[in-house]
Structures are given as C-alpha cells and as structure tokens.
Amino acid sequence: MRYARVVFMVIAACFGITLVNYASSPYKENRVSLPNVARSQTKEMKPMTVVQTVTQPKMNNPPTAKRTSEGHNRPLFILLMSSSGRTGSTLMAKLLRTHGGSVVFFEPLFRTITMLNDPCHLNGTCVAQFLKDVALCKYTKDFEEWFKKWTVFFEVFHPEVSYCMQYTDDLEKCKKIDVRGRCLNSRVRIIKVIRSRMAWVEDLLKDDTLNMKLIYLTRDPRATLSSYNQLGWGNSAPTQCGDMKKDLDTYDRFERLYPKKVFRTQIETLSVDPYGTIRNLFGFLFGTPVVEDETVEFVNKHMRAKSTVYGGLKIEANSTEEYQSWRWEITQEILNASESNAVCQVILKRLGHVVFGSLKRARDRNVKLLDYEKN
C-alpha cells in the first residue's frame, strides 16, 4: 500500500497534479486541483493526457475526480446577476450547476411579470425579500406551481429534472419531483437574475443568516444590443449602458464593503479562457480552484463544440469564436448608437473593450476586441 502511494505521488508530480487536503473544508470532496498555469502559457502548451479527461486543443486540461455525496451544514447561496438578458447568464448558471449538489432557480422574478403583473420586480425591498425566500426554500406554493409550468426554466433546476425531461414524454411525471425537498437538501442554491438592479440586493449581502456570494456577469453592450435587435426585443443604447453603469458603480462599492462576497467576470473572459476563469470563480465560491468531471464535460459540449447549435436555452458552440460573432452581425445603426453614446463609451473602457469606430473595423479579424489580446 505504501509502495502504491509512492508510485502514485511520482505520477502525480509528472503531470503537475497537486494533492489537496480538504479535511478542514466545508466542501469535502475527493478531487484534485487544477494545475496553476498562466494564461500566456496555456496557448503555447501542448495538451496533456490525464485519465478521465478529454484533451482540449491549445489548452492545458484540468485533472478531474469523482465527487462524493457528502453534504454541508450550511448551504451556499449564489446570486448570479446580469444587467440585462443576452449576456451569457444561462451558460454561466448551467456551468455553476455542474458543481455537485446544486440547484438552480432560473429567473424567478419573471413570475411577477408573466403571472401576476406584480410590480414587485420594480421594488428593491420586495425583490430582496422574494430572493431571500427562494434561497431559503421558503417560497410559496403558487411560485412552485408556476416554476414547474415554465418547463424551459424548470429543466435547469436539478440534474434529475433535466434527465427526466430529456428522456420521457410524460412531463407530469417530471413535475412530481419534490422541488422543495431537492432545494432543502442542496449544498448550493443558485438564483439567476437579470431583472433586478444591483443596489436592491445589498440587504442580502448584509444578512449574516445567509451564506451568500454574488457573481456579476457582464457582456459587451454592443453585443447585447445586437442580439436584442435580432430577436425583435426593444432596447436602446442609453437604457442598456445606463443600467450597466448603475450596476457597475454599485458593484465597485460592494467590492469595497463586501470583498469576500462579490465577484465580477465577463462572458468574453470565460469564452476565451474557460478553465482559467473557472479556476478563479470556483476558488472564490468554494474556497479551492478545483473542477469535477461534470464541469469538464459541460465545457467540452457547450464551449468546445465543433459547430454552433441553438435550441431554446440550449447552446453548443466553440466559445473562442462565438463570443465575438456579433461583430459580423451588428448593424451600422446599432454600432453608431452604442459607440457614440457617452455612457456606453465609459462602459467599454471599464470593461477593457476596443471601440471600433466603424463597421469595417468591427468586421476586421485583425482588430482584437479585448485589450489584453493585443499583447
């Protein structure tokens, strides 16, 4: 036994795998940590082969391990926020759910618009209390009934629901799954929200009874506006960038006041460097930068696909290309409206995105979207 352990440690050292002791962590799992490889190195490094992983082109593969079913005394509440739709928040929510023992409440504030015409989603105090009730699994019976009817939202809730809806035509059978029970037994409760201002959730950050962390996901406002235009949804540069500025300003204040509870990332960064972004994100959320088999499989299918496939909330794409495909779809009118808007200019600078100045330059692949790509 001792000889086998020595052999394993030698093999692990060859692959750069670090054995981690999780005895003191509330997230006890039999996993291994990601190799600490700089972004600049990953582009030049040949893909390595590790048992139970799939080789990725031009990227260092993360080693993975099986997860256990060991639970937590105090569940983690993750509030995933974006300033609008079409930002990649669905992809992020599904990615977060790959961490074992998680459930996802997808756009719960949408109910106040579709079912009750309730102005709660416009009232900060009401929004904060509503989200807290969902996080604590204390939502009303009416909410759960609505949630199950919106199958496109319900499907994301739990792997058991996803499996049921994928492999059976009997939706009523899927709706019999105990939602509140799955919620109460979950280690991680994720709520995805695009219909709230950042300032409205401060009371949740202040609440010591909640083990809460906030993720703020951004996307280039030009991309969002272009996507809205293609779908025929109403939005404008002043509104889009105005909302983003409010939320970014609030986030900056949150970062000073609650540095251990908030994290900001961009869908562009996740697309270009998924494993580096996941390492940072999971380190913030779970205390250690590790990844499981399910997360790797998700990245392979949804972010490293050979071709792009859209269908409802399901997306399979090569994210290194897809994240800036809007550049070849945006109209001259939307590009001019966004880049000439003073607030949008401020947002683009804060995000580190290039201002193209013309449609021709936006279409030029030699012009990089992200500042760090220039290096």
Side-chain angles (χ1 to χ4, degrees):
M1 187 71 180
R2 181 178 179 183
Y3 174 76
R5 176 172 176 81
V6 171
V7 172
F8 176 76
M9 292 178 68
V10 171
I11 295 174
C14 292
F15 285 106
I17 301 174
T18 303
L19 301 181
V20 182
N21 180 9
Y22 295 102
S24 61
S25 170
Y27 296 91
K28 299 176 183 176
E29 307 249 359
N30 180 25
R31 312 180 210 156
V32 291
S33 68
L34 284 166
N36 186 17
V37 181
R39 178 185 298 161
S40 60
Q41 294 174 320
T42 59
K43 294 182 179 179
E44 301 174 359
M45 184 175 293
K46 294 180 180 180
M48 68 180 185
T49 303
V50 182
V51 177
Q52 296 184 344
T53 65
V54 179
T55 303
Q56 297 294 331
K58 298 182 180 180
M59 185 174 295
N60 191 39
N61 283 341
T64 60
K66 296 180 181 180
R67 76 160 95 78
T68 67
S69 59
E70 196 165 350
H72 297 268
N73 294 327
R74 194 181 182 199
L76 174 64
F77 165 34
I78 300 175
L79 182 58
L80 171 61
M81 296 189 69
S82 289
S83 296
S84 72
R86 315 306 297 170
T87 58
S89 56
T90 295
L91 177 71
M92 179 64 82
K94 291 184 175 183
L95 172 64
L96 292 173
R97 199 194 71 175
T98 63
H99 187 83
S102 303
V103 295
V104 177
F105 287 97
F106 195 97
E107 298 299 334
L109 289 175
F110 192 57
R111 172 179 179 266
T112 66
I113 302 172
T114 59
M115 294 294 290
L116 304 176
N117 196 25
D118 187 339
C120 178
H121 67 286
L122 300 175
N123 182 299
T125 302
C126 184
V127 165
Q129 184 60 53
F130 177 74
L131 294 177
K132 180 177 179 179
D133 288 344
V134 174
L136 296 176
C137 313
K138 294 181 178 180
Y139 48 79
T140 64
K141 183 179 179 180
D142 289 343
F143 169 78
E144 182 170 321
E145 291 175 352
W146 169 88
F147 187 51
K148 290 181 176 181
K149 287 180 181 178
W150 279 80
T151 54
V152 70
F153 294 170
F154 184 46
E155 186 270 340
V156 186
F157 171 69
H158 187 275
E160 185 179 354
V161 178
S162 301
Y163 184 88
C164 180
M165 295 183 69
Q166 183 177 357
Y167 293 104
T168 182
D169 295 327
D170 187 1
L171 293 180
E172 293 305 314
K173 178 181 179 180
C174 302
K175 292 178 181 179
K176 291 180 181 178
I177 293 174
D178 183 5
V179 171
R180 198 182 302 274
R182 300 297 183 278
C183 180
L184 289 170
N185 290 328
S186 63
R187 299 179 304 165
V188 182
R189 299 166 190 173
I190 304 158
I191 301 181
K192 169 182 151 2
V193 174
I194 62 172
R195 293 172 173 84
S196 172
R197 295 277 62 83
M198 185 77 62
W200 296 352
V201 303
E202 184 166 12
D203 284 346
L204 300 179
L205 292 171
K206 292 179 179 179
D207 193 335
D208 293 333
T209 66
L210 291 176
N211 180 23
M212 173 189 166
K213 293 189 177 181
L214 183 151
I215 300 172
Y216 180 37
L217 179 68
T218 63
R219 187 189 185 190
D220 192 305
R222 297 167 297 186
T224 302
L225 288 167
S226 179
S227 182
Y228 267 64
N229 180 63
Q230 288 184 317
L231 293 170
W233 297 356
N235 204 352
S236 66
T239 299
Q240 176 69 29
C241 293
D243 287 344
M244 285 190 71
K245 187 176 186 305
K246 290 176 184 176
D247 289 342
L248 278 169
D249 289 345
T250 302
Y251 178 86
D252 289 346
R253 182 169 61 83
F254 284 177
E255 194 170 37
R256 293 191 299 270
L257 296 174
Y258 319 103
K260 295 182 179 181
K261 291 187 175 184
V262 298
F263 184 95
R264 180 166 73 88
T265 191
Q266 302 184 45
I267 193 63
E268 292 85 2
T269 305
L270 175 64
S271 300
V272 172
D273 183 18
Y275 289 124
T277 305
I278 292 169
R279 181 170 60 242
N280 293 335
L281 181 61
F282 280 19
F284 163 76
L285 291 172
F286 310 119
T288 181
V290 297
V291 68
E292 299 175 348
D293 289 342
E294 190 175 347
T295 305
V296 175
E297 291 170 5
F298 180 89
V299 171
N300 291 340
K301 181 177 181 180
H302 296 277
M303 303 183 69
R304 287 291 178 263
K306 294 182 179 179
S307 59
T308 299
V309 178
Y310 293 100
L313 296 178
K314 298 178 181 179
I315 300 175
E316 299 176 12
N318 182 344
S319 64
T320 58
E321 295 289 336
E322 191 64 23
Y323 81 96
Q324 59 178 347
S325 63
W326 62 268
R327 292 174 56 179
W328 289 268
E329 299 167 351
I330 194 170
T331 65
Q332 183 74 64
E333 180 182 4
I334 294 176
L335 184 68
N336 290 346
S338 54
E339 292 193 345
S340 64
N341 181 274
V343 180
C344 289
Q345 291 173 4
V346 171
I347 295 299
L348 292 174
K349 183 176 181 180
R350 290 174 71 172
L351 296 181
H353 293 196
V354 172
V355 175
F356 296 114
S358 69
L359 202 60
K360 180 180 179 180
R361 197 159 179 262
R363 304 276 200 261
D364 187 349
R365 292 185 180 273
N366 292 320
V367 179
K368 303 300 183 182
L369 172 64
L370 307 176
D371 279 349
Y372 73 77
E373 289 185 308
K374 296 178 181 178
N375 300 326

